[in-house]
Amino acid sequence: MEIKVYDSVDKIYIEVASYYVKKITDNPSITLGLATGGTMEPLYKLLVDDYNENKTDYSKAKTFNLDEYIGLPKDHNQSYRYFMNKHLFSHVNIQLSNTHVPIGDKLRVNESAIEFEKLLSENPRDIQLLGLGQNGHIGFNEPGTSFDSITHVVNLTDKTREDNARFFLNLDEVPHQAITMGIKSMLSAKEIIIIATGISKARAVKAMVNGPVNERCPASILRRHPDCIVYLDKDAASLL
Ligand code: GLP
């Protein structure tokens, strides 16, 4: 695991965005593992700015997102499909049929998990992008999730629901369940990039980087990946 600490958040996004643009330009048929969350918004904005300026070609790229809430309508403004369309997919020339976000339809979520995992096994990711939950989760793999997990349904912890309530009208609106790529599925990507910024992530960063590698901190397993880079600002790195 390589740790990079930046004195400004902007520098993280500039570096990561230019890395993505280079990788996509070098390999237009790239397969990307993508993530949602506030941390990713500035990155996607820079990719869209780059597209508007340089027309970086996404027409052959494929994407696979980490997770989705269960029970929100597809067009709900807090669904992760909505987030991805809004922040990235509708602004670049990617084919929507090449973009995959797990489907959180309550009635067939188990089938949907099996189908998503099959797609993942047929489409190895070149780069997996990750954010970090304040409790050390990656995707929606909460503390205690097996490192051998594949795509599955999770019950969200109270902590995660509270953390994500800021995006909803109130806590009651936050779904109790989600479908997420498993930890084993994430680790199969050739490269992993994880970004964490702000003081609220400092404890999770410390557990990920310095704590024991165990399922109490799902992100700690990233230390065993052969090519994982962690991008931190000073606040997120403050307990290291
Ligand atoms: C959600 C997502 C995670 C994300 C985390 C952090 O729970 N499932 O994939 O990493 O939130 O989000 P934020 O970037 O908003 O702090």
Side-chain angles (χ1 to χ4, degrees), residues 13 34-41 66-69 80 83 129-135 137-142 156 160 163-164 166-167 178 180 186 194-195 197 200-201:
Y13 293 112
L34 296 180
T36 53
T39 308
M40 301 308 156
E41 288 182 27
L66 289 172
D67 46 17
E68 181 60 283
Y69 289 113
Y80 286 165
F83 177 104
L129 180 65
L130 296 177
L132 181 66
Q134 292 181 35
N135 62 1
H137 75 218
I138 44 179
F140 266 134
N141 292 286
E142 299 282 30
L156 299 176
T160 294
D163 290 345
N164 289 0
R166 68 188 194 280
F167 297 116
T180 183
M186 288 176 189
I194 178 161
I195 306 175
T197 62
S200 66
K201 302 289 171 74

